[in-house]
Amino acid sequence: MPCMNILVELRLRFHQALRTVVDDPTDLLDQVVPAQDPRFGDYQANMAMTLANRLSQPQRKVAEQIVQNLQVADLCDPPEVAGPGFINLRLRDDWLAAQLQRISTDPRLGVSPVDDPATFVLDYSSPNVAKPMHVGHIRSTVIGDSLYRILRFLGHRVIGDNHLGDWGTQFGMILYGYKHFRDPSQFAQSLVKELSRLYKLVNQLVEYHQIRQELPELQSQFAQRIEVLDQQQAVAPSADGAEQKRAAKRLRNLKKQVAEMRDKVAAAEKKLAEVEESPELCRLAEQHPNIGSAVLEETARLHAGDPENLGLWHDFLPACRQEIQKIYDRLDVRFDYEYGESFYQERLAEVVARLRQRGLATVSDGAVCLFLDGFDAPMIIQKSDGAYLYATTDLATIDFRMQTFQPDAILYVVDHRQHEHFQKLFAAARLVGYERVDLQHVSFGTVLGNDGKPYKTRAGDTVGLESLLDEAVRRAHAVVAANDDAKPDGPELDDDQRRHIADVVGHAAIKYADLCQNRTSDYKFDYDKMVALEGNTATYMQYSYARTQSIFGKGQIDVQRLRTLDSPLCLQHPTERALGLQVLRLSEAIAEAVVDYRPNILTGYLFDTAKRFSEFYQQCQVLKAESEALRTSRLRLCDLAGQAIRLGLELLGIRVVEKM
RNA sequence: GCGCCCAUAGCUCAGCCGGAUAGAGCAGCGGACUUCUAAUCCGCAGGUCGGAGGUUCGAAUCCUCCUGGGCGUACCA
């Protein structure tokens, strides 16, 4: 079946028409777009104005010339030229009906695989296995999974790789904690919980000593800044206006710095107090004065292949890994590979050696560095103490992926704070000779709390992902139950059904809240908003879907049979037509979502689709339609809408239920 | 200091490789359930698109400057 992408088809037609006017109209084609306003039809073409300038001709005249050459009579009503030279297009109802007829038996709903499949390596989720997953991991996991599904659906070869953090300092902390602080009974009871406690404890003690060492310096810097600020404030204003402005700016910056340092000092003092207020922690801190360096030693021993540490690592890893898998199972997220950092361990020395041999890396202050054009600081690939860094691992990972998968693109779904790291990494990769592969940092913003700061518990801890999901499901259950109880003919769901629905709806709410946001912006995490289950939420879509299925149930409709019926679709009612057209636009939405790897394009499409369906549902009787033909036509529209919603949600990693 | 990102309705955000009167959700106000799920629908109200210049037939969108915020910035990841 040829691809049902109206936009692509129209652009093809415009390409033909424009060739009579210009040699190569390719760059003008993206000016064929969906109409901004329904009054202007379904699609519009705006290139006449641009072209008129190039040709020094009147805009409307150029538009009319284009229209004359344009052959769209089979799919559109006669095009109209409007305003300064817009070309407005309205699709023919019979053409729309025919297209819907064509796609109704297609499980892909008319979305063809791409003509030129590419190989993508998709790097997403990548949590640290030594500690429980928290809210900070949700975006990479959910966005990455969705991109994986979408690219796959489009026929690309996609390799999902979970680049687990299984080899870093965190493990040094756990090793140290295990050797000094473990509680054998807890350990036997729940390995992961105990490891998590040990990690927190060791981390706290390390921080404590570090802060104690650095605090005096920090405080004196703070005092110094205040002094400078006072001096600056005492300076008499300059007569020169420009100078005055500069002074004011300096003052503002200083104030900002002072405020920043005040917060820093306060945070440091708070951390000290937390330890000092607890006799137990105090005692441990005193007993382990060199815990910071000791942790690094444990890490180094692990990396050096020390049998004891390596043995413990092998003991701990499966349990940690299993703990994380619980989350992936709940989120329905999968990977093709999980080559963690440890996998690349043995390749790191070679990466550095090769770069040095080729003269690309140089030693500076004892560290092996890559000095890259356009960056102030170098990319350090080996520390002065000999240890490797994540830049080294990342380079080794690129080597491995290039050799193993020969990808056309590698996508890193990682938060925006690592922007500079990836710019350097990509520059380094090009330096090494990987020039053709498309390296993309698919970055995303931070999950914020209601206060606009990174989402934390009231106590200031990061929020565990598991409890987050539990809470969403709990709230979803309350809403599902309330809605079912309020049904006109009484409740129709038993406890098991309610629990299942709450599970699907709750997880969907979390995922959708994340995906519907433009990935590059920060977003505020708000249970009430996403589980309020109204407006632009997964639930609204799921509810729409359930209503389509409910109609089939009530009318005892055999949907499979319905799809094969060779009866014409009727698009007489405006809501019927709008819904039909919307269904046909699925492929446009998917194609656009992939351009910049933005699932929120798809959520936007689904929201529109659900709205179109609701409008249709409100205004058109389906089961009690005036005629049998109309009833069948509307049933088929319900089916198409349901299919579009289900398929779209599936590409976001969100499931549907038949009843809600 | 340098670099990156951001500023759109009361709130949360779309729109940002230029297009017609700037959109949605929530909150507010007013309507619609003897009718396929009212988790819905319809209507009203709500905006100097942070500010100032510039480019253009046309700017929320591109360029410059300014203001305010976030993040990053040589041996953490």
Side-chain angles (χ1 to χ4, degrees), chain A residues 139 143 414-417 443-449 451-455 513-514 516-526 529:
Chain A
R139 300 205 81 181
I143 294 169
V414 180
D415 80 87
H416 72 282
R417 286 172 301 200
S443 75
F444 54 83
T446 311
V447 181
L448 307 174
D451 55 0
K453 291 183 180 146
Y455 190 55
D514 198 314
C516 75
Q517 209 77 205
N518 182 331
R519 62 174 169 75
T520 57
S521 34
D522 295 346
Y523 82 95
K524 287 199 181 167
F525 189 88
D526 184 347
K529 189 176 158 188

Side-chain angles (χ1 to χ4, degrees), chain A residues 6-176:
Chain A
I6 300 170
L7 200 50
V8 168
E9 183 60 34
L10 287 173
R11 283 179 178 166
L12 223 62
R13 306 295 179 99
F14 270 91
H15 189 90
Q16 295 285 333
L18 288 163
R19 268 185 20 203
T20 60
V21 188
V22 287
D23 291 339
D24 184 10
T26 312
D27 63 316
L28 295 168
L29 295 177
D30 55 6
Q31 297 203 57
V32 182
V33 293
Q36 308 291 313
D37 187 313
R39 287 183 303 127
F40 304 138
D42 301 320
Y43 291 83
Q44 63 182 65
N46 305 330
M47 77 284 283
M49 283 89 82
T50 312
L51 208 50
N53 268 15
R54 273 192 221 171
L55 304 173
S56 311
Q57 284 178 31
Q59 296 179 334
R60 282 192 70 108
K61 200 182 142 203
V62 174
E64 271 149 25
Q65 199 183 334
I66 295 170
V67 166
Q68 265 176 18
N69 292 318
L70 188 64
Q71 291 180 8
V72 290
D74 53 327
L75 62 155
C76 293
D77 292 338
E80 286 171 12
V81 176
F86 295 104
I87 299 168
N88 292 334
L89 302 162
R90 188 188 148 87
L91 296 160
R92 289 167 49 156
D93 292 356
D94 60 343
W95 186 82
L96 285 174
Q99 302 313 308
L100 289 167
Q101 172 79 32
R102 267 186 28 187
I103 66 167
S104 57
T105 52
D106 180 9
R108 299 180 59 96
L109 224 55
V111 185
S112 317
V114 293
D115 298 329
D116 48 349
T119 298
F120 289 85
V121 170
L122 198 51
D123 184 322
Y124 59 107
S125 195
S126 311
N128 212 299
V129 297
K131 39 187 177 180
M133 285 177 82
H134 58 83
V135 63
H137 296 112
I138 187 110
R139 300 205 81 181
S140 177
T141 306
V142 168
I143 294 169
D145 178 57
S146 172
L147 293 176
Y148 180 89
R149 290 165 186 266
I150 296 170
L151 290 168
R152 267 268 161 116
F153 182 71
L154 286 176
H156 295 292
R157 176 180 175 230
V158 190
I159 293 124
D161 187 10
N162 192 6
H163 194 68
L164 294 170
D166 60 359
W167 199 245
T169 317
Q170 296 78 7
F171 260 97
M173 292 197 187
I174 285 187
L175 288 168
Y176 188 91

Side-chain angles (χ1 to χ4, degrees), chain A residues 340-407:
Chain A
E341 290 174 336
S342 61
F343 176 80
Y344 300 97
Q345 161 69 356
E346 57 197 24
R347 302 160 187 267
L348 302 182
E350 193 197 320
V351 167
V352 174
R354 207 169 50 230
L355 283 165
R356 293 187 68 171
Q357 252 170 32
R358 292 176 58 186
L360 297 172
T362 51
V363 178
S364 168
D365 286 351
V368 183
C369 298
L370 247 45
F371 287 91
L372 301 158
D373 286 343
F375 297 96
D376 292 338
M379 183 162 88
I380 297 176
I381 55 174
Q382 187 173 20
K383 301 204 294 189
S384 48
D385 67 3
Y388 302 107
L389 298 107
Y390 80 133
T392 332
T393 312
D394 280 355
L395 279 173
T397 305
I398 291 179
D399 277 337
F400 175 76
R401 287 172 174 167
M402 292 307 292
Q403 285 153 21
T404 312
F405 305 115
Q406 290 94 38

